[in-house]
Amino acid sequence: MTVTRFQDLPLADRDHKWDGDAADKRVRAWADAEDAPDAAYRDAHVWYDGDAPDNFGSYKLLIADVVDGRLKAVPHAVMAAGGVMQGARGGVDLPDGDVERVKAHLARYYTKMGETPPWER
């Protein structure tokens, strides 16, 4: 199980709407990962199952979209992932050892947005 390396992606505009399914399609096309995930596709997520990296279903917590041809972290996606880490939408099934690392990864984007992560409020 693997938490992705922090990419320090540029932020999309705060008002950029978040549609995870549409973003996933754009990220797959941008990353040239139509048939199988690759490193560029992985960079748009916070976590993936390192035992099955060739399975799209192994990737969780998509926080990025392709905006103006560049991969950018979307504030609404970061906040949605933060909510999921707090149990929203049924939470996310991650190994216990990865939870704090995922939160630390997300916290870096919260800081970049000038926000406090929900688990620190």
Side-chain angles (χ1 to χ4, degrees):
M1 309 309 167
T2 307
V3 178
T4 58
R5 186 172 55 86
F6 182 72
Q7 297 298 312
D8 198 15
L9 296 170
L11 292 174
D13 289 338
R14 186 84 163 179
D15 62 349
H16 185 85
K17 294 193 185 290
W18 178 244
D19 178 336
D21 291 334
D24 184 66
K25 289 177 185 174
R26 285 188 290 271
V27 170
R28 286 184 193 204
W30 172 85
D32 197 25
E34 300 288 346
D35 298 322
D38 60 12
Y41 180 80
R42 181 175 54 241
D43 290 346
H45 298 79
V46 178
W47 187 93
Y48 72 102
D49 181 346
D51 292 335
D54 295 330
N55 181 347
F56 283 110
S58 294
Y59 293 78
K60 297 182 181 183
L61 303 171
L62 176 67
I63 61 163
D65 196 353
V66 179
V67 180
D68 298 327
R70 293 184 63 200
L71 190 64
K72 294 186 177 186
V74 178
H76 288 290
V78 171
M79 289 184 268
V84 167
M85 293 305 296
Q86 292 297 98
R89 299 184 178 169
V92 62
D93 184 23
L94 298 178
D96 290 340
D98 288 348
V99 170
E100 289 306 313
R101 290 180 55 223
V102 165
K103 286 181 176 180
H105 186 124
L106 290 171
R108 293 178 77 178
Y109 282 109
Y110 271 95
T111 298
K112 192 171 183 170
M113 296 184 311
E115 299 280 338
T116 302
W119 50 88
E120 292 180 9
R121 292 184 196 142

